[in-house]
Amino acid sequence: MDLVRHLECFVAVAEESHFGRAAARLGMAQPPLSQRIQRLERELGVRLFERTSRQVTITEAGRLLLAEARELLARSESFLATARRVRDGETGLLRAALPPDLSGETVAALLADFGRRHGGLELELHELSTAQQLARLAAHELDVGIVHHPCDVSGLELGPVLRRELGVLLPRTAGAAGFDEVPLAALSGHDLILFPRAAAPALYDDLLTTCARGGFTPAAVRHGQGASFVRGLVLSTGAVALCPRDVLPPSPGDGDPDVVWRPLTGGAPALRHSTAWSQGRGDAAVHAFAEAATHALRTTADATPDVPTRPLHLRPASEWWL
């Protein structure tokens, strides 16, 4: 007996409470479905459903077995995903990616936690933008990554979405540097430093939209990602940069005499991100990485759970102009 297939039939009938709907869901005819349920009942020695001409009701024995049946099916999916990795020559190796904006402390915490969870696996780690990760996930050249939202998540499974509040890095001589918390409108007159748009187009536009709605439309947008490079642009051009507090550029001594970081107020923008992997390819190693990444972000980067108010999909690039 094909236990996995029979358990799939059992779970489908239990969830649909109807043989016809369960058969349609499984893409099979109703008589073979009924036969499989009957055979499973004979093999287990228990009655799973009470049947009448009008309805199908799960029995107490069926209820007791349903949770374990679901767990066995989930383990089966993980087993098959691992088998695919073995078939494709990827056994013992997890290909993972991180975005460039994570701090060294977060990366170190993630790697240490993953090592404790899955120490026998080799981790091939890449620093990639969201756009690069999505392309490699689609091509099955990457097993798991941390992506920024909003982005196109078609064909992906996601870990918990986390939020990191953004503040502003600005010259100490700027007028807004004297505030404990800076309204976006107070940044008017400054250029804005952002990562290159190609790295995460929807996030880039989302940040500009939020700034515009808060009263800040920069005269120009300059591009930079490295912490030292961004600090140099702030010092040389008087521009401001949006960044979380945990990825502040390195500064000499105990403090930076030339630049300051301040939290934002009034609809302040935030970074939202989660782990992502291709549907059906989430094995134990992928889930271990996702759990380690979530834990590292929450403990070292002050990330908090975020409940999206809109679908996590790619939106029109021109929205912020509207």
Side-chain angles (χ1 to χ4, degrees):
M1 181 180 71
D2 184 347
L3 179 61
V4 170
R5 186 58 175 164
H6 282 69
L7 289 179
E8 288 175 343
C9 294
F10 166 48
V11 171
V13 174
E15 293 177 349
E16 299 294 340
S17 296
H18 192 279
F19 274 89
R21 289 194 297 268
R25 167 174 154 181
L26 294 168
M28 62 187 300
Q30 185 171 332
L33 174 60
S34 298
Q35 293 167 10
R36 287 188 177 182
I37 294 297
Q38 291 168 5
R39 183 176 180 187
L40 181 61
E41 288 177 325
R42 288 196 302 271
E43 291 285 340
L44 298 177
V46 297
R47 191 169 183 81
L48 299 174
F49 300 101
E50 296 292 348
R51 306 161 179 83
T52 69
S53 59
R54 293 179 176 273
Q55 64 181 6
V56 177
T57 306
I58 191 168
T59 64
E60 181 62 25
R63 278 193 291 271
L64 293 173
L65 292 172
L66 182 57
E68 191 160 351
R70 287 175 172 145
E71 184 178 348
L72 285 171
L73 289 176
R75 290 180 180 176
S76 172
E77 285 297 320
S78 177
F79 174 82
L80 292 174
T82 302
R84 284 192 292 267
R85 291 164 63 89
V86 173
R87 179 197 63 197
D88 297 338
E90 300 165 13
T91 181
L93 175 68
L94 183 72
R95 303 164 301 176
L98 304 177
D101 58 79
L102 294 188
S103 70
E105 289 74 15
T106 299
V107 175
L110 191 164
L111 295 179
D113 194 0
F114 179 77
R116 287 191 293 270
R117 296 171 186 266
H118 229 292
L121 192 71
E122 179 185 354
L123 183 64
E124 180 183 289
L125 197 60
H126 303 270
E127 186 180 53
L128 299 172
S129 68
T130 292
Q132 291 170 323
Q133 291 186 48
L134 294 177
R136 293 201 186 186
L137 285 167
H140 300 309
E141 296 173 354
L142 190 69
D143 299 311
V144 63
I146 298 178
V147 299
H148 287 298
H149 299 291
C151 66
D152 188 354
V153 297
S154 303
L156 299 179
E157 297 180 44
L158 304 176
V161 179
L162 300 177
R163 173 189 178 97
R164 290 158 70 203
E165 299 292 340
L166 289 176
V168 60
L169 191 73
L170 67 168
R172 188 174 290 275
T173 55
F179 299 156
D180 291 332
E181 295 182 336
V182 178
L184 283 167
L187 300 177
S188 296
H190 291 278
D191 291 351
L192 177 64
I193 304 168
L194 283 179
F195 52 84
R197 186 178 182 277
L203 174 61
Y204 184 99
D205 296 334
D206 201 49
L207 292 176
L208 287 178
T209 299
T210 303
C211 288
R213 289 172 178 164
F216 173 41
T217 302
V221 178
R222 301 174 182 271
H223 295 136
Q225 284 187 282
S228 296
F229 184 74
V230 169
R231 180 176 180 273
L233 288 179
V234 171
L235 290 174
S236 63
T237 67
V240 299
L242 302 179
C243 63
R245 188 165 197 162
D246 61 287
V247 291
L248 286 177
S251 58
D254 296 330
D256 194 321
D258 301 313
V259 300
V260 296
W261 183 91
R262 295 287 184 263
L264 291 164
T265 61
L271 294 180
R272 292 176 176 84
H273 38 180
S274 69
T275 49
W277 58 93
S278 298
Q279 286 182 353
R281 299 177 73 91
D283 59 11
V286 166
H287 288 292
F289 182 90
E291 291 169 4
T294 299
H295 183 261
L297 285 165
R298 296 192 67 173
T299 56
T300 67
D302 295 325
T304 56
D306 184 72
V307 179
T309 57
R310 53 181 180 253
L312 297 174
H313 55 72
L314 190 65
R315 292 181 288 124
S318 60
E319 180 189 340
W320 79 279
W321 292 106
L322 301 179

